[in-house]
Amino acid sequence: MRLNRGNKYRLLVSTSLLIPLLATGRPAMAQTGPAAEVTSQDGTADPGQVDETGAPAQVPQADTQQTDIVVTGFRASLNSALNAKRNETAAVDSIVAEDIGKFPDSNLAESMQRIPGVALSRGDGGEGRNISVRGLGAQFTRVRINGMEGVSQVSGSDIRGGVASGRSFDFVTFPTEIFSALSVRKTLSADVEEGSLGATVDLRAPQPFDQKGDDLVITGTARGIYNDIRKKVDPRLSALVSKKFGDTFGVLGSIAYSKRHIEEYAYSAVDVVPTTVYGQAQPAGTANAGVIFPFCTPVGYAFNGSPATSPVPGYTQPNGAPIGADAANCSTGNPRTGTIEAYDYIMSRTGVNGRPGGGVYLPRLPRPVKSSQEQARLAGTLTLQWKPSDRTDISIDGLYSRFKVDRLDTYFDARSFGRAISNNGQPLTSVREIEVDDNGSLIHGLFDGVDLRSEMQDEHFTSTFRQVNLNIDHRFSDTFRVYGVAGINESLLDVDRLQVAIDSNDTRDFSIDFRGNPDIPKIGYGIDTTNPALFRYGPPLANGDQQGQLSNFIRRNRIVSKTFDLNGEWEAAPNFIVQVGGQYRTNRYTARERQLATTTPLALPTGVSVSDFTFVTSGVNKNLDGQLQDFVSVDPDKFRNAVGLDNYVYCNLECARGTYGGVNEKYKSGYLMFKFNTEDILPVGIRGDVGVRYVHTDLATYGPITTANPAGSLYSSRFEISNVNRSYEDWLPALNFAVDITPQLIARFSAARVMSRPSYGQLIPAGSANLVIQTASFSNPFLEPIRANTFDTSLEWYFAPGSLISVAYFYKNIESYIQTTSQQVAFQDIGLPLSLLTGTQLRPTDLFTVQRSNNTPGGPLRGFELNVQLPFRFLPGALSNFGALGNFTRVRSNIDYIISPTLSRTAPLVGLSPETASGTLYYEDRKFSIRSTVNYRSSFLTAVPSGSVDADSTSNASSIFVDASASYNINENVKLIAEVSNITNETNRLTVDTNRKDPLYTAYFGRTFALAVNVQF
């Protein structure tokens, strides 16, 4: 049973209230035990432990055998991270492995939810995919792996961004087991490479000399993972071996493998549009010339006192083929069954476009979705580390990761609401009943003449990441040090996606009803949706009737990054260091995609019927609250064999299909920075850094522009490659101060100028059109980076060992932004050749929604963070083993979005949740550990403008996710682990338009359980 939303909010509020109440009680009870009794597992002082002066506590070794509180596992991880935060001058939060090969969470992105200001975006199966930091989305966050910038790429359904073409990092591609620490740097210093507007995330793999004790360490973990929707147990395995040879050389290798089966069920509208978008305008010379009639008019219908019949009797498609419209029929075999009352109801409502019928909004492709996936993830690291002396540390780090996904998505669409008359769509549909709310959102409707489509998308993609880097750190003297990194990494994304659809046209008694569930409608189809005999596959008929769909593309994205970084430190005076460095980096992004030479379905071979390559998609009714039905679907393997798909022709440049583009970047940068500490000079210690960074960017882009082929060519159009070369430079000053007001109280101040570059896909010069849904898109190779001036300040109180209360304020003046603007333009005016319309029923005057990327003014972003970390050491007995973490972030921003040439809107940044919060309650002793985490993220915009007609934005609804884990140490070598995620069975919900909040996508992915055993020697 799902926990209702009211209970979820009460759970979050209760958790949030508990933390400050407990914190309030801390000082009065702080004297219950000697502070010096808290030690780490090896008997040394707990890194988060301080005495009453704030200095590291000294542990009396003679007493530790009887009175030590041994800090291990999760608590030790928290203390280590807190100690690292305290010693930084910039605003840096870290998460450290509980033990070698044991990260605190099963997903890197999910771990970062506990960091203030970090919000998680979830992908397939509810697994954490990427993050936003302080309201700035994944595209503004840079990720470094072992000191080198990296990009990981995935593919996904269109609702989740499709094939990646940006700079954002998808954490789902990497297992946590191959990393030992991560840090989120929220403020920059001059020695940190540019490119981040939100944060720089550092991921670090373990090294042999990280282990202070044994020369040989072997550890392994085996998990069994179970999801209550898929109901299948999947394996997840990891192992690590570290060996030190004396005090100078060490080798560490790790490997992790997992296999996961996912089933996700959803309702999808794809889009929500006013009925006028796919309606038909009355021809000139008639009484209602220019009026758009959205549906087939009822018999005897009149508008404004004049008889009106749409489609007009005798209407023919552009190729001259009649559709069979007359006074009694919308088309051949499709009678006019609509009611005058329903039609008048629609035409009486005008929306923002002022047109009759423009105030009624319908889902464009209302449909159930079932997504089935098989994921296989393999990763490993190998590190060779040489420390010939205390002054020299040289290491070679190798890292490999492969994330392979086989995904089968099946849909069952009502396509008439997303088709114009060129495809015999909405204008041939009759409306018998309809009701909308005051905003125009559909409540329920009953229709005839509806085209149904069963659609299958079979995708196989592999994301591969490789990196090798050499790290050198040598101290020539007590005052002079040189260090640097040189390396190369490669990110590959290979995608093979096949889409096939079968159609059943002009069905009757189609109903859609939101009265029982505002997120998922109850849909009736009027036919047996599991009967393949009712569906057709083949080329479209001359009158515009569709009989299925076929498309297939094979794509490879490659990003190759090379880095050479050299830095020097000179301690010119005690506690005063001059640091200088230079970097040379290159990024090369290439995208290659081939598509089928024709997307027109061919007639089935003799003797082959639709039933020969179909199956029934099941579980829809059960997993979507009984609102939607199971349906017949195309089996991809059977289809390939039935039609001989392997013999079909693919093309690219010669036929203007797919893509062929790339971005080559060269960065030359250098910096000068001064680091200082006044603890020996002033009564108040001030630690900090002040510096400036200069970077020169050379940019070379190339991409495909569609051009008409000469008459008589095999294909009507081809690609011509357009090249654009440009450069720009930036001066980026930065400063960070940490003021030690008292040994327990630290104030921080930071300011910097930052920049973030556009995504690769936005920079490739290209233009294309989707003739099915009448849209076109154009990129912009002349886009400037997004630049901002930032200011941060915080106050941190380390009031007890392992404890913290902090508050931070941040402000970013975003000078520029990048928006995708859209407007309605006739196809003949968008700049693409008219030859693209050859073989379609589209006219050059038909309107397309054209989207372009442009630089636009930015706006301010401001917010604050509250953070509490509190072990309950002040409580008696076993209660002292409890502890809590909690944080809350509130962010506000104002960006002027251009909705259309005549309309703008001020709204928050895309991806910005105004409020995020996280709370963790844990218990840990020598044997047993348990914790539960609640993460809240308020709703956030996903697109402005939405890309939909007369809708200002799309949004992701607010969410609360509850997870828990527990472990038991059988002995010092063996540990049992249990984990559960999404305890409350939270869904992922998307809506369109700020006022209407029409449901766009609602997905269920279930709860996930895991049992594991960890062995370490």
Side-chain angles (χ1 to χ4, degrees):
M1 178 180 295
R2 291 186 66 210
L3 185 67
N4 66 51
R5 193 155 296 277
N7 288 338
K8 290 181 183 179
Y9 280 105
R10 285 191 288 274
L11 175 62
L12 178 67
V13 171
S14 299
T15 304
S16 300
L17 289 175
L18 174 66
I19 293 169
L21 286 173
L22 293 171
T24 303
R26 173 66 182 93
M29 306 180 70
Q31 305 303 317
T32 58
E37 290 179 355
V38 182
T39 67
S40 63
Q41 192 171 16
D42 60 5
T44 60
D46 172 2
Q49 176 70 34
V50 293
D51 62 19
E52 62 275 9
T53 68
Q58 300 299 315
V59 181
Q61 295 298 315
D63 298 333
T64 57
Q65 296 300 317
Q66 296 180 359
T67 61
D68 285 354
I69 299 174
V70 179
V71 180
T72 60
F74 185 63
R75 190 188 295 251
S77 171
L78 296 177
N79 290 345
S80 180
L82 195 67
N83 192 53
K85 175 181 179 68
R86 187 171 184 171
N87 292 329
E88 288 281 355
T89 55
V92 181
D93 290 285
S94 303
I95 295 176
V96 181
E98 297 180 21
D99 207 337
I100 186 168
K102 176 62 177 71
F103 217 71
D105 299 276
S106 59
N107 179 281
L108 290 169
E110 291 169 359
S111 288
M112 283 185 276
Q113 289 182 107
R114 291 198 303 272
I115 293 176
V118 175
L120 177 64
S121 294
R122 295 179 182 266
D124 297 327
E127 189 172 4
R129 179 171 171 180
N130 44 48
I131 62 168
S132 67
V133 180
R134 290 179 167 179
L136 293 164
Q139 69 272 29
F140 300 119
T141 298
R142 290 179 61 255
V143 175
R144 300 189 300 187
I145 302 174
N146 294 333
M148 279 191 61
E149 181 179 3
V151 175
S152 69
Q153 310 171 80
V154 300
S155 179
S157 58
D158 292 339
I159 199 74
R160 290 191 170 128
V163 179
S165 62
R167 300 177 191 267
S168 59
F169 190 93
D170 287 289
F171 290 92
V172 71
T173 60
F174 288 94
T176 62
E177 292 90 342
I178 65 172
F179 296 105
S180 61
L182 67 83
S183 62
V184 179
R185 180 179 294 270
K186 301 174 187 174
T187 63
L188 295 185
S189 52
D191 61 332
V192 178
E193 298 96 323
E194 76 294 335
S196 165
L197 204 66
T200 298
V201 176
D202 279 294
L203 304 177
R204 191 174 74 84
Q207 293 187 323
F209 284 91
D210 291 345
Q211 313 309 311
K212 303 301 182 183
D214 298 336
D215 289 339
L216 176 64
V217 175
I218 301 174
T219 181
T221 303
R223 277 183 174 84
I225 301 174
Y226 175 86
N227 180 268
D228 64 359
I229 290 182
R230 175 66 180 181
K231 301 187 185 305
K232 185 179 181 71
V233 177
D234 294 317
R236 179 169 178 166
L237 309 171
S238 63
L240 181 147
V241 178
S242 178
K243 172 65 176 175
K244 288 187 288 188
F245 300 88
D247 296 328
T248 61
F249 186 71
V251 179
L252 185 147
S254 70
I255 188 168
Y257 171 80
S258 65
K259 192 170 185 177
R260 186 182 180 195
H261 292 81
I262 294 174
E263 280 191 2
E264 184 171 309
Y265 292 86
Y267 161 74
S268 173
V270 179
D271 199 355
V272 179
V273 295
T275 61
T276 51
V277 170
Y278 294 106
Q280 184 184 21
Q282 285 288 282
T286 62
N288 295 297
V291 175
I292 295 177
F293 288 100
F295 296 97
C296 178
T297 53
V299 175
Y301 182 70
F303 182 74
N304 287 338
S306 300
T309 303
S310 177
V312 297
Y315 174 86
T316 61
Q317 295 285 15
N319 63 358
I323 65 171
D326 57 33
N329 295 278
C330 308
S331 59
T332 301
N334 180 23
R336 300 177 185 271
T337 58
T339 64
I340 293 175
E341 294 78 11
Y343 215 98
D344 280 341
Y345 181 84
I346 293 171
M347 300 299 284
S348 68
R349 295 182 171 258
T350 57
V352 296
N353 60 30
R355 292 180 177 274
V360 173
Y361 298 87
L362 300 181
R364 187 168 72 84
L365 298 175
R367 62 191 190 181
V369 180
K370 180 180 180 181
S371 180
S372 301
Q373 292 189 35
E374 181 177 300
Q375 300 178 350
R377 186 163 42 201
L378 174 66
T381 66
L382 178 63
T383 297
L384 307 179
Q385 188 174 12
W386 182 43
K387 299 183 70 173
S389 70
D390 292 340
R391 293 180 177 270
T392 304
D393 189 345
I394 300 174
S395 64
I396 297 176
D397 298 307
L399 185 146
Y400 172 84
S401 178
R402 187 193 69 197
F403 182 57
K404 184 177 181 181
V405 176
D406 297 324
R407 190 180 82 232
L408 178 65
D409 294 346
T410 52
Y411 319 84
F412 198 78
D413 314 338
R415 296 193 74 83
S416 288
F417 306 117
R419 283 177 171 172
I421 198 168
S422 60
N423 290 321
N424 286 354
Q426 185 177 286
L428 308 188
T429 299
S430 295
V431 187
R432 289 160 51 189
E433 298 176 12
I434 192 167
E435 180 184 4
V436 298
D437 64 18
D438 292 340
N439 291 320
S441 299
L442 181 66
I443 296 176
H444 72 94
L446 179 62
F447 308 88
D448 288 333
V450 175
D451 298 338
L452 303 179
R453 168 170 285 184
S454 176
E455 185 177 351
M456 173 275 294
Q457 180 174 291
D458 180 46
E459 181 173 85
H460 307 270
F461 78 82
T462 302
S463 177
T464 306
F465 185 89
R466 304 179 180 94
Q467 177 172 308
V468 176
N469 54 277
L470 170 67
N471 300 275
I472 298 177
D473 190 338
H474 179 68
R475 186 171 291 278
F476 288 90
S477 68
D478 292 340
T479 60
F480 184 61
R481 169 191 174 214
V482 173
Y483 60 96
V485 59
I488 181 172
N489 61 41
E490 177 188 55
S491 174
L492 281 177
L493 177 62
D494 290 295
V495 184
D496 185 343
R497 180 186 291 180
L498 170 68
Q499 291 178 278
V500 183
I502 52 178
D503 286 355
S504 181
N505 295 329
D506 296 334
T507 63
R508 317 194 73 73
D509 297 317
F510 175 84
S511 62
I512 181 168
D513 192 342
F514 284 95
R515 288 175 292 192
N517 186 327
D519 295 324
I520 304 177
K522 189 173 186 62
I523 298 181
Y525 298 96
I527 66 169
D528 179 2
T529 58
T530 64
N531 184 0
L534 301 179
F535 292 82
R536 296 180 292 177
Y537 178 85
L541 302 179
N543 68 353
D545 272 350
Q546 300 291 302
Q547 298 189 105
Q549 178 188 6
L550 172 64
S551 68
N552 189 197
F553 69 77
I554 301 171
R555 179 170 180 140
R556 165 167 280 195
N557 290 355
R558 171 185 272 130
I559 302 173
V560 177
S561 299
K562 300 177 182 179
T563 296
F564 179 76
D565 180 303
L566 187 62
N567 307 270
E569 277 188 2
W570 173 47
E571 188 172 3
N575 291 323
F576 183 81
I577 295 174
V578 179
Q579 185 171 324
V580 63
Q583 294 82 29
Y584 177 77
R585 295 177 289 141
T586 64
N587 286 344
R588 174 170 291 183
Y589 170 83
T590 57
R592 302 288 186 268
E593 179 181 299
R594 296 182 297 123
Q595 294 187 3
L596 286 173
T598 176
T599 56
T600 302
L602 304 179
L604 290 174
T606 302
V608 175
S609 67
V610 170
S611 62
D612 292 329
F613 55 82
T614 55
F615 70 102
V616 173
T617 291
S618 60
V620 175
N621 184 274
K622 174 183 176 182
N623 288 285
L624 291 177
D625 296 338
Q627 299 291 95
L628 302 170
Q629 301 177 23
D630 296 348
F631 52 89
V632 66
S633 299
V634 174
D635 182 294
D637 295 328
K638 291 180 179 179
F639 176 82
R640 286 185 175 94
N641 293 330
V643 304
L645 189 63
D646 291 342
N647 297 320
Y648 280 41
V649 175
Y650 292 79
C651 59
N652 179 222
L653 295 174
E654 67 275 25
C655 66
R657 292 193 181 277
T659 191
Y660 186 100
V663 178
N664 296 327
E665 296 172 318
K666 295 180 180 179
Y667 314 130
K668 302 170 186 175
S669 61
Y671 72 91
L672 174 66
M673 185 172 74
F674 302 98
K675 297 193 293 186
F676 57 89
N677 189 334
T678 68
E679 63 180 358
D680 297 330
I681 303 173
L682 300 177
V684 175
I686 301 176
R687 298 172 284 123
D689 58 74
V690 178
V692 64
R693 185 179 194 84
Y694 168 80
V695 58
H696 179 90
T697 302
D698 289 310
L699 185 66
T701 66
Y702 60 96
I705 302 297
T706 305
T707 306
N709 264 328
S713 299
L714 180 61
Y715 304 107
S716 59
S717 304
R718 70 179 189 278
F719 280 149
E720 287 190 354
I721 302 302
S722 173
N723 292 274
V724 176
N725 296 316
R726 53 189 291 256
S727 63
Y728 53 87
E729 61 184 22
D730 289 272
W731 289 91
L732 305 171
L735 62 87
N736 296 275
F737 294 156
V739 182
D740 298 317
I741 300 173
T742 72
Q744 294 81 27
L745 192 63
I746 300 175
R748 300 183 191 274
F749 305 91
S750 299
R753 181 166 178 80
V754 297
M755 56 91 83
S756 179
R757 297 181 175 91
S759 70
Y760 295 118
Q762 290 174 316
L763 290 172
I764 292 178
S768 62
N770 186 320
L771 304 182
V772 177
I773 59 176
Q774 294 180 214
T775 63
S777 61
F778 293 86
S779 56
N780 185 352
F782 296 99
L783 288 173
E784 287 289 320
I786 297 175
R787 298 179 172 95
N789 296 315
T790 69
F791 170 79
D792 298 77
T793 184
S794 65
L795 189 63
E796 301 167 1
W797 182 29
Y798 299 84
F799 59 92
S803 303
L804 168 69
I805 294 177
S806 67
V807 59
Y809 172 81
F810 50 90
Y811 175 84
K812 299 179 188 293
N813 179 25
I814 302 173
E815 296 178 351
S816 62
Y817 195 59
I818 297 174
Q819 295 184 37
T820 300
T821 58
S822 63
Q823 64 184 117
Q824 294 274 291
V825 180
F827 184 86
Q828 62 190 11
D829 298 324
I830 65 176
L832 296 177
L834 296 180
S835 59
L836 291 177
L837 304 183
T838 302
T840 73
Q841 303 295 345
L842 293 168
R843 295 180 172 89
T845 55
D846 286 342
L847 293 178
F848 275 59
T849 301
V850 179
Q851 297 183 328
R852 299 177 188 270
S853 298
N854 297 289
N855 283 110
T856 58
L861 180 149
R862 57 177 62 85
F864 68 88
E865 298 170 353
L866 299 175
N867 186 26
V868 176
Q869 181 169 317
L870 180 64
F872 298 167
R873 289 172 173 149
F874 52 86
L875 294 177
L879 294 178
S880 64
N881 296 320
F882 279 94
L885 316 173
N887 64 72
F888 172 80
T889 304
R890 179 186 175 96
V891 189
R892 295 291 184 267
S893 70
N894 293 298
I895 299 292
D896 292 327
Y897 291 97
I898 302 171
I899 306 301
S900 69
T902 59
L903 182 65
S904 64
R905 177 197 170 198
T906 300
L909 274 170
V910 169
L912 182 151
S913 290
E915 287 88 26
T916 58
S918 174
T920 299
L921 182 65
Y922 67 88
Y923 173 89
E924 189 167 64
D925 58 27
R926 291 177 181 270
K927 286 287 189 180
F928 187 66
S929 174
I930 185 170
R931 66 180 180 269
S932 180
T933 300
V934 181
N935 290 291
Y936 167 73
R937 182 175 187 180
S938 63
S939 63
F940 58 95
L941 300 174
T942 58
V944 181
S946 65
S948 305
V949 177
D950 295 345
D952 60 0
S953 62
T954 58
S955 301
N956 199 303
S958 62
S959 61
I960 298 177
F961 283 87
V962 183
D963 306 319
S965 66
S967 64
Y968 179 75
N969 297 317
I970 296 177
N971 54 47
E972 64 180 11
N973 302 117
V974 182
K975 178 189 294 186
L976 300 179
I977 303 169
E979 300 164 335
V980 57
S981 60
N982 193 22
I983 293 173
T984 58
N985 199 20
E986 180 63 284
T987 61
N988 185 31
R989 295 176 297 123
L990 305 178
T991 62
V992 61
D993 195 73
T994 303
N995 294 322
R996 301 195 314 268
K997 292 184 171 59
D998 289 324
L1000 188 64
Y1001 186 79
T1002 302
Y1004 292 80
F1005 38 79
R1007 305 171 182 86
T1008 301
F1009 306 85
L1011 292 176
V1013 58
N1014 172 260
V1015 179
Q1016 179 173 324
F1017 298 98

